[in-house]
PDB file of all heavy atoms in Angstrom:
ATOM      1  N   ARG A  21       0.830  -1.203   0.000  1.00  0.00           N
ATOM      2  CA  ARG A  21       0.000   0.000   0.000  1.00  0.00           C
ATOM      3  C   ARG A  21       0.859   1.246   0.000  1.00  0.00           C
ATOM      4  O   ARG A  21       2.000   1.248   0.471  1.00  0.00           O
ATOM      5  CB  ARG A  21      -0.958   0.002   1.197  1.00  0.00           C
ATOM      6  CG  ARG A  21      -0.297   0.123   2.561  1.00  0.00           C
ATOM      7  CD  ARG A  21      -1.300  -0.200   3.674  1.00  0.00           C
ATOM      8  NE  ARG A  21      -2.456   0.683   3.655  1.00  0.00           N
ATOM      9  CZ  ARG A  21      -3.634   0.398   4.206  1.00  0.00           C
ATOM     10  NH1 ARG A  21      -3.821  -0.770   4.822  1.00  0.00           N
ATOM     11  NH2 ARG A  21      -4.635   1.279   4.143  1.00  0.00           N
ATOM     12  N   ASP A  22       0.289   2.296  -0.525  1.00  0.00           N
ATOM     13  CA  ASP A  22       0.893   3.614  -0.510  1.00  0.00           C
ATOM     14  C   ASP A  22      -0.166   4.553   0.035  1.00  0.00           C
ATOM     15  O   ASP A  22      -1.024   5.042  -0.701  1.00  0.00           O
ATOM     16  CB  ASP A  22       1.339   4.030  -1.910  1.00  0.00           C
ATOM     17  CG  ASP A  22       2.116   5.329  -1.912  1.00  0.00           C
ATOM     18  OD1 ASP A  22       2.028   6.099  -0.930  1.00  0.00           O
ATOM     19  OD2 ASP A  22       2.819   5.588  -2.908  1.00  0.00           O
ATOM     20  N   ASN A  23      -0.121   4.776   1.329  1.00  0.00           N
ATOM     21  CA  ASN A  23      -1.167   5.565   1.963  1.00  0.00           C
ATOM     22  C   ASN A  23      -1.163   7.019   1.499  1.00  0.00           C
ATOM     23  O   ASN A  23      -2.209   7.674   1.521  1.00  0.00           O
ATOM     24  CB  ASN A  23      -1.031   5.493   3.484  1.00  0.00           C
ATOM     25  CG  ASN A  23      -1.448   4.150   4.037  1.00  0.00           C
ATOM     26  OD1 ASN A  23      -2.177   3.394   3.390  1.00  0.00           O
ATOM     27  ND2 ASN A  23      -0.993   3.830   5.241  1.00  0.00           N
ATOM     28  N   ALA A  24      -0.016   7.521   1.092  1.00  0.00           N
ATOM     29  CA  ALA A  24       0.038   8.877   0.561  1.00  0.00           C
ATOM     30  C   ALA A  24      -0.785   9.011  -0.712  1.00  0.00           C
ATOM     31  O   ALA A  24      -1.293  10.085  -1.024  1.00  0.00           O
ATOM     32  CB  ALA A  24       1.477   9.296   0.308  1.00  0.00           C
ATOM     33  N   LYS A  25      -0.897   7.913  -1.454  1.00  0.00           N
ATOM     34  CA  LYS A  25      -1.705   7.886  -2.667  1.00  0.00           C
ATOM     35  C   LYS A  25      -3.083   7.293  -2.435  1.00  0.00           C
ATOM     36  O   LYS A  25      -3.857   7.156  -3.388  1.00  0.00           O
ATOM     37  CB  LYS A  25      -0.984   7.100  -3.761  1.00  0.00           C
ATOM     38  CG  LYS A  25       0.328   7.718  -4.199  1.00  0.00           C
ATOM     39  CD  LYS A  25       0.981   6.892  -5.295  1.00  0.00           C
ATOM     40  CE  LYS A  25       2.273   7.528  -5.764  1.00  0.00           C
ATOM     41  NZ  LYS A  25       2.930   6.719  -6.815  1.00  0.00           N
ATOM     42  N   ASN A  26      -3.365   6.908  -1.195  1.00  0.00           N
ATOM     43  CA  ASN A  26      -4.656   6.325  -0.853  1.00  0.00           C
ATOM     44  C   ASN A  26      -4.953   5.096  -1.708  1.00  0.00           C
ATOM     45  O   ASN A  26      -6.078   4.887  -2.175  1.00  0.00           O
ATOM     46  CB  ASN A  26      -5.781   7.352  -1.016  1.00  0.00           C
ATOM     47  CG  ASN A  26      -6.638   7.492   0.234  1.00  0.00           C
ATOM     48  OD1 ASN A  26      -6.191   7.241   1.355  1.00  0.00           O
ATOM     49  ND2 ASN A  26      -7.883   7.915   0.048  1.00  0.00           N
ATOM     50  N   THR A  27      -3.937   4.263  -1.874  1.00  0.00           N
ATOM     51  CA  THR A  27      -4.037   3.138  -2.791  1.00  0.00           C
ATOM     52  C   THR A  27      -3.401   1.885  -2.199  1.00  0.00           C
ATOM     53  O   THR A  27      -2.359   1.955  -1.547  1.00  0.00           O
ATOM     54  CB  THR A  27      -3.361   3.465  -4.129  1.00  0.00           C
ATOM     55  OG1 THR A  27      -3.968   4.635  -4.698  1.00  0.00           O
ATOM     56  CG2 THR A  27      -3.508   2.321  -5.113  1.00  0.00           C
ATOM     57  N   VAL A  28      -4.039   0.757  -2.452  1.00  0.00           N
ATOM     58  CA  VAL A  28      -3.511  -0.560  -2.109  1.00  0.00           C
ATOM     59  C   VAL A  28      -3.298  -1.331  -3.398  1.00  0.00           C
ATOM     60  O   VAL A  28      -4.087  -1.212  -4.344  1.00  0.00           O
ATOM     61  CB  VAL A  28      -4.465  -1.312  -1.162  1.00  0.00           C
ATOM     62  CG1 VAL A  28      -4.021  -2.766  -0.982  1.00  0.00           C
ATOM     63  CG2 VAL A  28      -4.513  -0.624   0.194  1.00  0.00           C
ATOM     64  N   TYR A  29      -2.251  -2.138  -3.432  1.00  0.00           N
ATOM     65  CA  TYR A  29      -1.898  -2.884  -4.628  1.00  0.00           C
ATOM     66  C   TYR A  29      -1.882  -4.381  -4.352  1.00  0.00           C
ATOM     67  O   TYR A  29      -1.674  -4.831  -3.225  1.00  0.00           O
ATOM     68  CB  TYR A  29      -0.516  -2.473  -5.138  1.00  0.00           C
ATOM     69  CG  TYR A  29      -0.377  -0.998  -5.395  1.00  0.00           C
ATOM     70  CD1 TYR A  29       0.179  -0.158  -4.431  1.00  0.00           C
ATOM     71  CD2 TYR A  29      -0.791  -0.442  -6.595  1.00  0.00           C
ATOM     72  CE1 TYR A  29       0.312   1.196  -4.664  1.00  0.00           C
ATOM     73  CE2 TYR A  29      -0.665   0.911  -6.835  1.00  0.00           C
ATOM     74  CZ  TYR A  29      -0.114   1.726  -5.862  1.00  0.00           C
ATOM     75  OH  TYR A  29       0.014   3.078  -6.095  1.00  0.00           O
ATOM     76  N   LEU A  30      -2.077  -5.140  -5.411  1.00  0.00           N
ATOM     77  CA  LEU A  30      -1.900  -6.580  -5.353  1.00  0.00           C
ATOM     78  C   LEU A  30      -1.090  -7.000  -6.573  1.00  0.00           C
ATOM     79  O   LEU A  30      -1.605  -7.000  -7.696  1.00  0.00           O
ATOM     80  CB  LEU A  30      -3.239  -7.317  -5.328  1.00  0.00           C
ATOM     81  CG  LEU A  30      -3.150  -8.835  -5.151  1.00  0.00           C
ATOM     82  CD1 LEU A  30      -2.606  -9.181  -3.764  1.00  0.00           C
ATOM     83  CD2 LEU A  30      -4.507  -9.490  -5.363  1.00  0.00           C
ATOM     84  N   GLN A  31       0.170  -7.306  -6.340  1.00  0.00           N
ATOM     85  CA  GLN A  31       1.032  -7.803  -7.402  1.00  0.00           C
ATOM     86  C   GLN A  31       0.837  -9.300  -7.528  1.00  0.00           C
ATOM     87  O   GLN A  31       1.027 -10.035  -6.557  1.00  0.00           O
ATOM     88  CB  GLN A  31       2.496  -7.485  -7.096  1.00  0.00           C
ATOM     89  CG  GLN A  31       3.480  -8.004  -8.135  1.00  0.00           C
ATOM     90  CD  GLN A  31       3.349  -7.317  -9.468  1.00  0.00           C
ATOM     91  OE1 GLN A  31       3.261  -6.097  -9.529  1.00  0.00           O
ATOM     92  NE2 GLN A  31       3.309  -8.101 -10.544  1.00  0.00           N
ATOM     93  N   MET A  32       0.471  -9.753  -8.708  1.00  0.00           N
ATOM     94  CA  MET A  32       0.175 -11.156  -8.948  1.00  0.00           C
ATOM     95  C   MET A  32       1.160 -11.693  -9.974  1.00  0.00           C
ATOM     96  O   MET A  32       1.171 -11.248 -11.125  1.00  0.00           O
ATOM     97  CB  MET A  32      -1.258 -11.332  -9.433  1.00  0.00           C
ATOM     98  CG  MET A  32      -2.304 -10.704  -8.514  1.00  0.00           C
ATOM     99  SD  MET A  32      -4.006 -11.059  -9.040  1.00  0.00           S
ATOM    100  CE  MET A  32      -4.006 -10.254 -10.642  1.00  0.00           C
ATOM    101  N   ASN A  33       1.971 -12.637  -9.549  1.00  0.00           N
ATOM    102  CA  ASN A  33       2.960 -13.263 -10.414  1.00  0.00           C
ATOM    103  C   ASN A  33       2.648 -14.746 -10.572  1.00  0.00           C
ATOM    104  O   ASN A  33       1.896 -15.324  -9.793  1.00  0.00           O
ATOM    105  CB  ASN A  33       4.368 -13.094  -9.839  1.00  0.00           C
ATOM    106  CG  ASN A  33       4.793 -11.657  -9.716  1.00  0.00           C
ATOM    107  OD1 ASN A  33       4.426 -10.814 -10.536  1.00  0.00           O
ATOM    108  ND2 ASN A  33       5.591 -11.358  -8.694  1.00  0.00           N
ATOM    109  N   SER A  34       3.258 -15.345 -11.562  1.00  0.00           N
ATOM    110  CA  SER A  34       3.087 -16.779 -11.821  1.00  0.00           C
ATOM    111  C   SER A  34       1.619 -17.164 -11.837  1.00  0.00           C
ATOM    112  O   SER A  34       1.196 -18.140 -11.219  1.00  0.00           O
ATOM    113  CB  SER A  34       3.849 -17.599 -10.770  1.00  0.00           C
ATOM    114  OG  SER A  34       5.225 -17.279 -10.774  1.00  0.00           O
ATOM    115  N   LEU A  35       0.852 -16.406 -12.565  1.00  0.00           N
ATOM    116  CA  LEU A  35      -0.590 -16.612 -12.571  1.00  0.00           C
ATOM    117  C   LEU A  35      -0.978 -17.947 -13.182  1.00  0.00           C
ATOM    118  O   LEU A  35      -0.346 -18.418 -14.134  1.00  0.00           O
ATOM    119  CB  LEU A  35      -1.269 -15.474 -13.318  1.00  0.00           C
ATOM    120  CG  LEU A  35      -1.354 -14.168 -12.520  1.00  0.00           C
ATOM    121  CD1 LEU A  35      -1.653 -12.994 -13.436  1.00  0.00           C
ATOM    122  CD2 LEU A  35      -2.434 -14.281 -11.439  1.00  0.00           C
ATOM    123  N   LYS A  36      -2.012 -18.519 -12.607  1.00  0.00           N
ATOM    124  CA  LYS A  36      -2.537 -19.806 -13.030  1.00  0.00           C
ATOM    125  C   LYS A  36      -3.978 -19.644 -13.495  1.00  0.00           C
ATOM    126  O   LYS A  36      -4.663 -18.709 -13.077  1.00  0.00           O
ATOM    127  CB  LYS A  36      -2.492 -20.807 -11.872  1.00  0.00           C
ATOM    128  CG  LYS A  36      -1.127 -20.998 -11.242  1.00  0.00           C
ATOM    129  CD  LYS A  36      -1.227 -21.907 -10.025  1.00  0.00           C
ATOM    130  CE  LYS A  36       0.116 -22.094  -9.368  1.00  0.00           C
ATOM    131  NZ  LYS A  36       0.021 -22.966  -8.165  1.00  0.00           N
ATOM    132  N   PRO A  37      -4.462 -20.553 -14.332  1.00  0.00           N
ATOM    133  CA  PRO A  37      -5.870 -20.471 -14.735  1.00  0.00           C
ATOM    134  C   PRO A  37      -6.834 -20.433 -13.557  1.00  0.00           C
ATOM    135  O   PRO A  37      -7.881 -19.785 -13.635  1.00  0.00           O
ATOM    136  CB  PRO A  37      -6.063 -21.734 -15.581  1.00  0.00           C
ATOM    137  CG  PRO A  37      -4.714 -21.979 -16.164  1.00  0.00           C
ATOM    138  CD  PRO A  37      -3.739 -21.589 -15.075  1.00  0.00           C
ATOM    139  N   GLU A  38      -6.497 -21.091 -12.469  1.00  0.00           N
ATOM    140  CA  GLU A  38      -7.346 -21.098 -11.292  1.00  0.00           C
ATOM    141  C   GLU A  38      -7.431 -19.746 -10.606  1.00  0.00           C
ATOM    142  O   GLU A  38      -8.269 -19.544  -9.726  1.00  0.00           O
ATOM    143  CB  GLU A  38      -6.857 -22.154 -10.285  1.00  0.00           C
ATOM    144  CG  GLU A  38      -5.473 -21.877  -9.722  1.00  0.00           C
ATOM    145  CD  GLU A  38      -4.830 -23.100  -9.097  1.00  0.00           C
ATOM    146  OE1 GLU A  38      -4.561 -24.067  -9.837  1.00  0.00           O
ATOM    147  OE2 GLU A  38      -4.609 -23.084  -7.872  1.00  0.00           O
ATOM    148  N   ASP A  39      -6.572 -18.811 -10.987  1.00  0.00           N
ATOM    149  CA  ASP A  39      -6.648 -17.456 -10.458  1.00  0.00           C
ATOM    150  C   ASP A  39      -7.700 -16.618 -11.166  1.00  0.00           C
ATOM    151  O   ASP A  39      -7.958 -15.481 -10.747  1.00  0.00           O
ATOM    152  CB  ASP A  39      -5.296 -16.755 -10.579  1.00  0.00           C
ATOM    153  CG  ASP A  39      -4.210 -17.410  -9.740  1.00  0.00           C
ATOM    154  OD1 ASP A  39      -4.491 -17.779  -8.581  1.00  0.00           O
ATOM    155  OD2 ASP A  39      -3.078 -17.535 -10.240  1.00  0.00           O
ATOM    156  N   THR A  40      -8.271 -17.139 -12.222  1.00  0.00           N
ATOM    157  CA  THR A  40      -9.291 -16.411 -12.963  1.00  0.00           C
ATOM    158  C   THR A  40     -10.483 -16.113 -12.063  1.00  0.00           C
ATOM    159  O   THR A  40     -11.070 -17.019 -11.472  1.00  0.00           O
ATOM    160  CB  THR A  40      -9.747 -17.210 -14.185  1.00  0.00           C
ATOM    161  OG1 THR A  40      -8.650 -17.359 -15.091  1.00  0.00           O
ATOM    162  CG2 THR A  40     -10.885 -16.503 -14.901  1.00  0.00           C
ATOM    163  N   ALA A  41     -10.819 -14.846 -11.951  1.00  0.00           N
ATOM    164  CA  ALA A  41     -11.901 -14.422 -11.072  1.00  0.00           C
ATOM    165  C   ALA A  41     -12.071 -12.915 -11.199  1.00  0.00           C
ATOM    166  O   ALA A  41     -11.248 -12.227 -11.805  1.00  0.00           O
ATOM    167  CB  ALA A  41     -11.596 -14.787  -9.617  1.00  0.00           C
ATOM    168  N   VAL A  42     -13.136 -12.426 -10.599  1.00  0.00           N
ATOM    169  CA  VAL A  42     -13.277 -10.997 -10.386  1.00  0.00           C
ATOM    170  C   VAL A  42     -12.646 -10.681  -9.040  1.00  0.00           C
ATOM    171  O   VAL A  42     -12.976 -11.308  -8.029  1.00  0.00           O
ATOM    172  CB  VAL A  42     -14.745 -10.549 -10.416  1.00  0.00           C
ATOM    173  CG1 VAL A  42     -14.847  -9.051 -10.131  1.00  0.00           C
ATOM    174  CG2 VAL A  42     -15.369 -10.875 -11.761  1.00  0.00           C
ATOM    175  N   TYR A  43     -11.756  -9.725  -9.027  1.00  0.00           N
ATOM    176  CA  TYR A  43     -11.036  -9.356  -7.816  1.00  0.00           C
ATOM    177  C   TYR A  43     -11.604  -8.068  -7.245  1.00  0.00           C
ATOM    178  O   TYR A  43     -11.797  -7.086  -7.962  1.00  0.00           O
ATOM    179  CB  TYR A  43      -9.548  -9.192  -8.111  1.00  0.00           C
ATOM    180  CG  TYR A  43      -8.827 -10.505  -8.264  1.00  0.00           C
ATOM    181  CD1 TYR A  43      -9.033 -11.301  -9.383  1.00  0.00           C
ATOM    182  CD2 TYR A  43      -7.950 -10.960  -7.283  1.00  0.00           C
ATOM    183  CE1 TYR A  43      -8.394 -12.522  -9.522  1.00  0.00           C
ATOM    184  CE2 TYR A  43      -7.298 -12.172  -7.415  1.00  0.00           C
ATOM    185  CZ  TYR A  43      -7.524 -12.950  -8.533  1.00  0.00           C
ATOM    186  OH  TYR A  43      -6.870 -14.165  -8.661  1.00  0.00           O
ATOM    187  N   TYR A  44     -11.847  -8.095  -5.954  1.00  0.00           N
ATOM    188  CA  TYR A  44     -12.413  -6.964  -5.241  1.00  0.00           C
ATOM    189  C   TYR A  44     -11.505  -6.560  -4.089  1.00  0.00           C
ATOM    190  O   TYR A  44     -10.907  -7.415  -3.441  1.00  0.00           O
ATOM    191  CB  TYR A  44     -13.774  -7.306  -4.641  1.00  0.00           C
ATOM    192  CG  TYR A  44     -14.817  -7.787  -5.620  1.00  0.00           C
ATOM    193  CD1 TYR A  44     -14.929  -9.134  -5.943  1.00  0.00           C
ATOM    194  CD2 TYR A  44     -15.710  -6.890  -6.201  1.00  0.00           C
ATOM    195  CE1 TYR A  44     -15.894  -9.578  -6.827  1.00  0.00           C
ATOM    196  CE2 TYR A  44     -16.680  -7.326  -7.080  1.00  0.00           C
ATOM    197  CZ  TYR A  44     -16.765  -8.678  -7.390  1.00  0.00           C
ATOM    198  OH  TYR A  44     -17.730  -9.111  -8.265  1.00  0.00           O
ATOM    199  N   CYS A  45     -11.450  -5.276  -3.813  1.00  0.00           N
ATOM    200  CA  CYS A  45     -10.848  -4.831  -2.571  1.00  0.00           C
ATOM    201  C   CYS A  45     -11.948  -4.346  -1.643  1.00  0.00           C
ATOM    202  O   CYS A  45     -13.031  -3.953  -2.085  1.00  0.00           O
ATOM    203  CB  CYS A  45      -9.802  -3.738  -2.797  1.00  0.00           C
ATOM    204  SG  CYS A  45     -10.420  -2.186  -3.472  1.00  0.00           S
ATOM    205  N   SER A  46     -11.674  -4.393  -0.356  1.00  0.00           N
ATOM    206  CA  SER A  46     -12.705  -4.059   0.606  1.00  0.00           C
ATOM    207  C   SER A  46     -12.101  -3.451   1.867  1.00  0.00           C
ATOM    208  O   SER A  46     -11.003  -3.817   2.282  1.00  0.00           O
ATOM    209  CB  SER A  46     -13.509  -5.314   0.970  1.00  0.00           C
ATOM    210  OG  SER A  46     -14.584  -5.000   1.831  1.00  0.00           O
ATOM    211  N   ALA A  47     -12.844  -2.539   2.452  1.00  0.00           N
ATOM    212  CA  ALA A  47     -12.473  -1.904   3.708  1.00  0.00           C
ATOM    213  C   ALA A  47     -13.474  -2.276   4.783  1.00  0.00           C
ATOM    214  O   ALA A  47     -14.662  -2.468   4.502  1.00  0.00           O
ATOM    215  CB  ALA A  47     -12.413  -0.393   3.544  1.00  0.00           C
ATOM    216  N   PRO A  48     -13.042  -2.353   6.030  1.00  0.00           N
ATOM    217  CA  PRO A  48     -13.955  -2.720   7.107  1.00  0.00           C
ATOM    218  C   PRO A  48     -14.841  -1.564   7.530  1.00  0.00           C
ATOM    219  O   PRO A  48     -14.620  -0.409   7.160  1.00  0.00           O
ATOM    220  CB  PRO A  48     -13.007  -3.135   8.236  1.00  0.00           C
ATOM    221  CG  PRO A  48     -11.789  -2.296   8.010  1.00  0.00           C
ATOM    222  CD  PRO A  48     -11.657  -2.197   6.510  1.00  0.00           C
ATOM    223  N   ARG A  49     -15.821  -1.878   8.345  1.00  0.00           N
ATOM    224  CA  ARG A  49     -16.796  -0.890   8.776  1.00  0.00           C
ATOM    225  C   ARG A  49     -16.261   0.060   9.821  1.00  0.00           C
ATOM    226  O   ARG A  49     -16.887   1.094  10.085  1.00  0.00           O
ATOM    227  CB  ARG A  49     -18.053  -1.583   9.309  1.00  0.00           C
ATOM    228  CG  ARG A  49     -17.829  -2.365  10.600  1.00  0.00           C
ATOM    229  CD  ARG A  49     -19.047  -3.169  10.960  1.00  0.00           C
ATOM    230  NE  ARG A  49     -18.883  -3.882  12.216  1.00  0.00           N
ATOM    231  CZ  ARG A  49     -19.667  -4.849  12.629  1.00  0.00           C
ATOM    232  NH1 ARG A  49     -20.683  -5.241  11.865  1.00  0.00           N
ATOM    233  NH2 ARG A  49     -19.441  -5.426  13.794  1.00  0.00           N
ATOM    234  N   GLN A  50     -15.141  -0.261  10.431  1.00  0.00           N
ATOM    235  CA  GLN A  50     -14.553   0.626  11.409  1.00  0.00           C
ATOM    236  C   GLN A  50     -13.044   0.641  11.249  1.00  0.00           C
ATOM    237  O   GLN A  50     -12.452  -0.302  10.721  1.00  0.00           O
ATOM    238  CB  GLN A  50     -14.935   0.219  12.831  1.00  0.00           C
ATOM    239  CG  GLN A  50     -14.438  -1.148  13.256  1.00  0.00           C
ATOM    240  CD  GLN A  50     -14.973  -1.554  14.613  1.00  0.00           C
ATOM    241  OE1 GLN A  50     -16.113  -1.249  14.951  1.00  0.00           O
ATOM    242  NE2 GLN A  50     -14.148  -2.241  15.393  1.00  0.00           N
ATOM    243  N   LEU A  51     -12.441   1.708  11.716  1.00  0.00           N
ATOM    244  CA  LEU A  51     -11.001   1.821  11.607  1.00  0.00           C
ATOM    245  C   LEU A  51     -10.317   0.755  12.441  1.00  0.00           C
ATOM    246  O   LEU A  51     -10.862   0.235  13.411  1.00  0.00           O
ATOM    247  CB  LEU A  51     -10.531   3.222  12.016  1.00  0.00           C
ATOM    248  CG  LEU A  51     -10.844   3.711  13.429  1.00  0.00           C
ATOM    249  CD1 LEU A  51      -9.798   3.229  14.424  1.00  0.00           C
ATOM    250  CD2 LEU A  51     -10.913   5.240  13.435  1.00  0.00           C
ATOM    251  N   GLY A  52      -9.120   0.440  12.046  1.00  0.00           N
ATOM    252  CA  GLY A  52      -8.362  -0.568  12.753  1.00  0.00           C
ATOM    253  C   GLY A  52      -6.958  -0.644  12.218  1.00  0.00           C
ATOM    254  O   GLY A  52      -6.594   0.033  11.252  1.00  0.00           O
ATOM    255  N   THR A  53      -6.177  -1.487  12.851  1.00  0.00           N
ATOM    256  CA  THR A  53      -4.791  -1.681  12.431  1.00  0.00           C
ATOM    257  C   THR A  53      -4.643  -2.985  11.674  1.00  0.00           C
ATOM    258  O   THR A  53      -4.494  -2.980  10.446  1.00  0.00           O
ATOM    259  CB  THR A  53      -3.859  -1.638  13.647  1.00  0.00           C
ATOM    260  OG1 THR A  53      -4.312  -2.563  14.645  1.00  0.00           O
ATOM    261  CG2 THR A  53      -3.850  -0.244  14.261  1.00  0.00           C
ATOM    262  N   GLY A  54      -4.690  -4.090  12.386  1.00  0.00           N
ATOM    263  CA  GLY A  54      -4.578  -5.389  11.757  1.00  0.00           C
ATOM    264  C   GLY A  54      -5.866  -5.808  11.063  1.00  0.00           C
ATOM    265  O   GLY A  54      -6.933  -5.246  11.295  1.00  0.00           O
ATOM    266  N   CYS A  55      -5.752  -6.804  10.213  1.00  0.00           N
ATOM    267  CA  CYS A  55      -6.900  -7.300   9.480  1.00  0.00           C
ATOM    268  C   CYS A  55      -7.870  -8.022  10.408  1.00  0.00           C
ATOM    269  O   CYS A  55      -7.467  -8.717  11.348  1.00  0.00           O
ATOM    270  CB  CYS A  55      -6.450  -8.241   8.376  1.00  0.00           C
ATOM    271  SG  CYS A  55      -5.469  -7.447   7.088  1.00  0.00           S
ATOM    272  N   TYR A  56      -9.150  -7.859  10.125  1.00  0.00           N
ATOM    273  CA  TYR A  56     -10.174  -8.543  10.891  1.00  0.00           C
ATOM    274  C   TYR A  56     -10.325  -9.974  10.394  1.00  0.00           C
ATOM    275  O   TYR A  56     -10.294 -10.232   9.187  1.00  0.00           O
ATOM    276  CB  TYR A  56     -11.502  -7.808  10.773  1.00  0.00           C
ATOM    277  CG  TYR A  56     -11.483  -6.429  11.381  1.00  0.00           C
ATOM    278  CD1 TYR A  56     -11.298  -5.307  10.579  1.00  0.00           C
ATOM    279  CD2 TYR A  56     -11.640  -6.248  12.746  1.00  0.00           C
ATOM    280  CE1 TYR A  56     -11.268  -4.036  11.135  1.00  0.00           C
ATOM    281  CE2 TYR A  56     -11.610  -4.985  13.308  1.00  0.00           C
ATOM    282  CZ  TYR A  56     -11.428  -3.879  12.500  1.00  0.00           C
ATOM    283  OH  TYR A  56     -11.406  -2.619  13.053  1.00  0.00           O
ATOM    284  N   SER A  57     -10.516 -10.887  11.315  1.00  0.00           N
ATOM    285  CA  SER A  57     -10.637 -12.291  10.948  1.00  0.00           C
ATOM    286  C   SER A  57     -11.984 -12.614  10.323  1.00  0.00           C
ATOM    287  O   SER A  57     -12.090 -13.560   9.540  1.00  0.00           O
ATOM    288  CB  SER A  57     -10.408 -13.190  12.168  1.00  0.00           C
ATOM    289  OG  SER A  57     -11.351 -12.913  13.187  1.00  0.00           O
ATOM    290  N   SER A  58     -12.993 -11.832  10.640  1.00  0.00           N
ATOM    291  CA  SER A  58     -14.332 -12.063  10.117  1.00  0.00           C
ATOM    292  C   SER A  58     -14.553 -11.288   8.827  1.00  0.00           C
ATOM    293  O   SER A  58     -14.389 -10.069   8.787  1.00  0.00           O
ATOM    294  CB  SER A  58     -15.388 -11.668  11.145  1.00  0.00           C
ATOM    295  OG  SER A  58     -16.684 -11.759  10.593  1.00  0.00           O
ATOM    296  N   ASP A  59     -14.958 -11.993   7.779  1.00  0.00           N
ATOM    297  CA  ASP A  59     -15.259 -11.327   6.517  1.00  0.00           C
ATOM    298  C   ASP A  59     -16.423 -10.359   6.644  1.00  0.00           C
ATOM    299  O   ASP A  59     -16.537  -9.418   5.859  1.00  0.00           O
ATOM    300  CB  ASP A  59     -15.573 -12.358   5.438  1.00  0.00           C
ATOM    301  CG  ASP A  59     -14.356 -13.131   4.987  1.00  0.00           C
ATOM    302  OD1 ASP A  59     -13.227 -12.779   5.385  1.00  0.00           O
ATOM    303  OD2 ASP A  59     -14.535 -14.094   4.214  1.00  0.00           O
ATOM    304  N   ALA A  60     -17.276 -10.579   7.632  1.00  0.00           N
ATOM    305  CA  ALA A  60     -18.439  -9.728   7.821  1.00  0.00           C
ATOM    306  C   ALA A  60     -18.053  -8.299   8.182  1.00  0.00           C
ATOM    307  O   ALA A  60     -18.860  -7.385   8.030  1.00  0.00           O
ATOM    308  CB  ALA A  60     -19.351 -10.310   8.893  1.00  0.00           C
ATOM    309  N   MET A  61     -16.844  -8.093   8.657  1.00  0.00           N
ATOM    310  CA  MET A  61     -16.388  -6.752   8.992  1.00  0.00           C
ATOM    311  C   MET A  61     -16.138  -5.895   7.751  1.00  0.00           C
ATOM    312  O   MET A  61     -16.115  -4.667   7.846  1.00  0.00           O
ATOM    313  CB  MET A  61     -15.113  -6.820   9.818  1.00  0.00           C
ATOM    314  CG  MET A  61     -15.310  -7.364  11.228  1.00  0.00           C
ATOM    315  SD  MET A  61     -16.328  -6.266  12.257  1.00  0.00           S
ATOM    316  CE  MET A  61     -15.262  -4.831  12.379  1.00  0.00           C
ATOM    317  N   TYR A  62     -15.955  -6.521   6.619  1.00  0.00           N
ATOM    318  CA  TYR A  62     -15.626  -5.792   5.394  1.00  0.00           C
ATOM    319  C   TYR A  62     -16.903  -5.441   4.654  1.00  0.00           C
ATOM    320  O   TYR A  62     -17.563  -6.308   4.073  1.00  0.00           O
ATOM    321  CB  TYR A  62     -14.666  -6.614   4.540  1.00  0.00           C
ATOM    322  CG  TYR A  62     -13.319  -6.734   5.207  1.00  0.00           C
ATOM    323  CD1 TYR A  62     -13.070  -7.736   6.141  1.00  0.00           C
ATOM    324  CD2 TYR A  62     -12.314  -5.810   4.943  1.00  0.00           C
ATOM    325  CE1 TYR A  62     -11.849  -7.809   6.788  1.00  0.00           C
ATOM    326  CE2 TYR A  62     -11.092  -5.889   5.583  1.00  0.00           C
ATOM    327  CZ  TYR A  62     -10.867  -6.885   6.508  1.00  0.00           C
ATOM    328  OH  TYR A  62      -9.649  -6.959   7.142  1.00  0.00           O
ATOM    329  N   VAL A  63     -17.237  -4.170   4.664  1.00  0.00           N
ATOM    330  CA  VAL A  63     -18.533  -3.713   4.163  1.00  0.00           C
ATOM    331  C   VAL A  63     -18.429  -2.733   3.007  1.00  0.00           C
ATOM    332  O   VAL A  63     -19.429  -2.466   2.335  1.00  0.00           O
ATOM    333  CB  VAL A  63     -19.373  -3.095   5.290  1.00  0.00           C
ATOM    334  CG1 VAL A  63     -19.659  -4.124   6.373  1.00  0.00           C
ATOM    335  CG2 VAL A  63     -18.664  -1.881   5.888  1.00  0.00           C
ATOM    336  N   TYR A  64     -17.264  -2.164   2.777  1.00  0.00           N
ATOM    337  CA  TYR A  64     -17.076  -1.252   1.658  1.00  0.00           C
ATOM    338  C   TYR A  64     -16.351  -1.987   0.552  1.00  0.00           C
ATOM    339  O   TYR A  64     -15.275  -2.563   0.768  1.00  0.00           O
ATOM    340  CB  TYR A  64     -16.292  -0.013   2.089  1.00  0.00           C
ATOM    341  CG  TYR A  64     -17.003   0.797   3.138  1.00  0.00           C
ATOM    342  CD1 TYR A  64     -16.614   0.747   4.469  1.00  0.00           C
ATOM    343  CD2 TYR A  64     -18.078   1.606   2.790  1.00  0.00           C
ATOM    344  CE1 TYR A  64     -17.273   1.484   5.433  1.00  0.00           C
ATOM    345  CE2 TYR A  64     -18.748   2.344   3.753  1.00  0.00           C
ATOM    346  CZ  TYR A  64     -18.340   2.278   5.069  1.00  0.00           C
ATOM    347  OH  TYR A  64     -19.005   3.017   6.030  1.00  0.00           O
TER     348      TYR A  64
END
């Protein structure tokens, strides 16, 4: 991530056919530091 640019990146190398998908990024419903273990926290 580059917080100065308000952007997160995902570099994907050695891609496989099984990686085919729609990729989404998501933010949780409240501020925090570490990632939340529950997917339900990610609402944006």
